[in-house]
Amino acid sequence: MSDESARLTAALGTVPDPGGRGDIVSAGRISAPRIKDGIASIVLDVTGIDASERAALERAVRAAVIAVPEISEVRIAMTSEKVEKTIIAVGSGKGGVGKSTVSANLAIALGRLGRKVGLLDADIYGPSQPRIMGSTGRPELAEKQIVAARAYGVRLLSIGQLIEPGTAVAWRGPMTGSALGQLMEGDWGDTEIMIVDLPPGTGDVQMTLIQKWKPAGAVIVSTPQDLALIDATRAIDLFRKMDVPVIGLVENMAGYSCPHCGEVSDPFGNGGAEAAAGVMAIPFLGRIPLTLSIREASDAGFPPAAGDGEEAGMFRTIAERLLEQVNRAASGGL
Ligand code: ADP
């Protein structure tokens, strides 16, 4: 190595790695550093760094390199490996069964198990994730990409952040497709697992997601009510017909635990979803009771999975089972 390239490498080595792996040279982010006629050119790998942090990194690199005496100009080419995300679609037969609540808490629980998780709220009829996750600000734009916000360790984008509340209901195919595209192709950083909270039923958003982004699996949320299950069956059929493995059923609002006397009653019946999962040969991921605390926590933007109560444990178990099923589906077991 010539003296000047050694000085260039040393200067680059003073820049800390935003990913927390020492400096950018030891983190392997620099390739092909060269100096010719006073012009330094380097290739900087920005994989896993948010678009919002890339500009700051570029400035830091530029400042470090220009400080080398023989260098008068710095050229930086940024490259990024496309991180392949595992997409898990969360659907339900009908609205109001707690699909969004389960999606949010599942995403947080997966994050607490050490996964890098994104949550994409594609429910055009009732985009509720910003409220549930307590993250209602407008998302930032960086390099024409919308940047996922962060809440409870999860990256989040919602169709509700692109449109005025209440207007999406009038959307049809192409518009929902392009909105979904903007969210999907947003800046999700190093997200490995993306939970997509779908609208209820079997409409355009489901079709577009399946055809364009091919989820690794689908999770169906249902109440124990028979009617919900009949609707849920239609959603299950859609995924199966389109070759998306249904990797789990979650029974929500199963049994009501009275906050005063502690007695558990079953307003919607109990066990129906588990029995139906058995009949349909779908893994049963778990049961979440109907509790006042879940509803209050969701309304207040404090999902119970982020806490350390009993409900956090339930979502953790569901998340663990989901990961097992994702692995099975990936190895062709479903
Ligand atoms: P969906 O996405 O299926 O339309 P939501 O997740 O928005 O349903 O839930 C509908 C309502 O039910 C919300 O007010 C939510 O707080 C409440 N909810 C969901 N699951 C539970 C539960 N297990 N216990 C109590 N309330 C719940």
Side-chain angles (χ1 to χ4, degrees):
M1 199 188 282
S2 69
D3 282 356
E4 53 179 16
S5 357
R7 278 194 286 276
L8 172 58
T9 307
L12 290 165
T14 63
V15 179
D17 174 37
R21 291 178 293 169
D23 64 81
I24 55 172
V25 177
S26 49
R29 294 200 182 273
I30 301 294
S31 51
R34 282 192 322 145
I35 306 179
K36 196 164 183 267
D37 302 332
I39 302 173
S41 52
I42 52 171
V43 178
L44 177 62
D45 180 354
V46 291
T47 303
I49 301 176
D50 288 356
S52 54
E53 294 172 46
R54 285 180 196 166
L57 178 62
E58 189 184 354
R59 277 197 301 278
V61 170
R62 202 170 284 285
V65 174
I66 205 77
V68 177
E70 47 275 89
I71 295 173
S72 55
E73 194 183 329
V74 188
R75 292 184 186 160
I76 302 171
M78 290 203 258
T79 62
S80 170
E81 267 171 46
K82 213 163 164 54
V83 181
E84 281 293 322
K85 293 188 272 289
T86 300
I87 298 174
I88 308 293
V90 181
S92 66
K94 61 169 199 172
V97 299
K99 169 183 51 57
S100 302
T101 307
V102 170
S103 301
N105 285 285
L106 189 56
I108 293 169
L110 286 166
R112 292 182 77 176
L113 291 175
R115 303 305 160 118
K116 302 203 165 73
V117 187
L119 174 60
L120 191 158
D121 179 6
D123 188 349
I124 47 169
Y125 302 111
S128 49
Q129 291 303 353
R131 175 177 49 81
I132 296 175
M133 297 287 284
S135 171
T136 49
R138 291 252 150 204
E140 273 177 59
L141 274 179
E143 294 169 17
K144 294 191 186 145
Q145 254 187 328
I146 36 177
V147 182
R150 272 174 178 265
Y152 300 106
V154 169
R155 286 187 161 88
L156 168 71
L157 280 178
S158 169
I159 210 150
Q161 294 164 319
L162 294 185
I163 43 143
E164 293 305 316
T167 56
V169 79
W171 289 14
R172 286 294 169 261
M175 281 173 85
T176 50
S178 76
L180 187 62
Q182 274 188 60
L183 298 179
M184 271 297 190
E185 310 299 338
D187 178 2
W188 290 91
D190 55 1
T191 294
E192 310 162 330
I193 297 186
M194 172 112 89
I195 302 291
V196 181
D197 179 9
L198 288 169
T202 54
D204 291 332
V205 176
Q206 283 80 347
M207 297 302 285
T208 311
L209 178 78
I210 295 171
Q211 285 166 348
K212 272 189 138 165
W213 290 282
K214 188 77 177 117
V219 169
I220 305 291
V221 179
S222 170
T223 67
Q225 259 177 313
D226 284 340
L227 185 65
L229 283 174
I230 291 165
D231 290 332
T233 312
R234 287 197 197 107
I236 290 165
D237 282 347
L238 172 83
F239 288 114
R240 286 189 160 164
K241 278 197 191 106
M242 310 275 293
D243 285 331
V244 177
V246 178
I247 57 176
L249 189 74
V250 175
E251 185 176 48
N252 188 33
M253 307 189 185
Y256 173 66
S257 167
C258 173
H260 305 295
C261 68
E263 193 193 332
V264 177
S265 52
D266 290 329
F268 299 119
N270 198 352
E274 184 168 12
V279 171
M280 291 184 283
I282 295 172
F284 184 69
L285 300 182
R287 177 176 290 134
I288 304 291
L290 180 77
T291 66
L292 190 61
S293 60
I294 294 185
R295 196 186 61 70
E296 285 176 346
S298 297
D299 286 347
F302 295 114
D308 42 27
E310 203 184 336
E311 285 141 3
M314 293 178 192
F315 284 112
R316 183 193 170 96
T317 305
I318 291 177
E320 285 168 347
R321 291 188 184 149
L322 176 73
L323 288 177
E324 282 167 26
Q325 296 305 329
V326 170
N327 291 339
R328 277 188 60 190
S331 59
L334 273 174

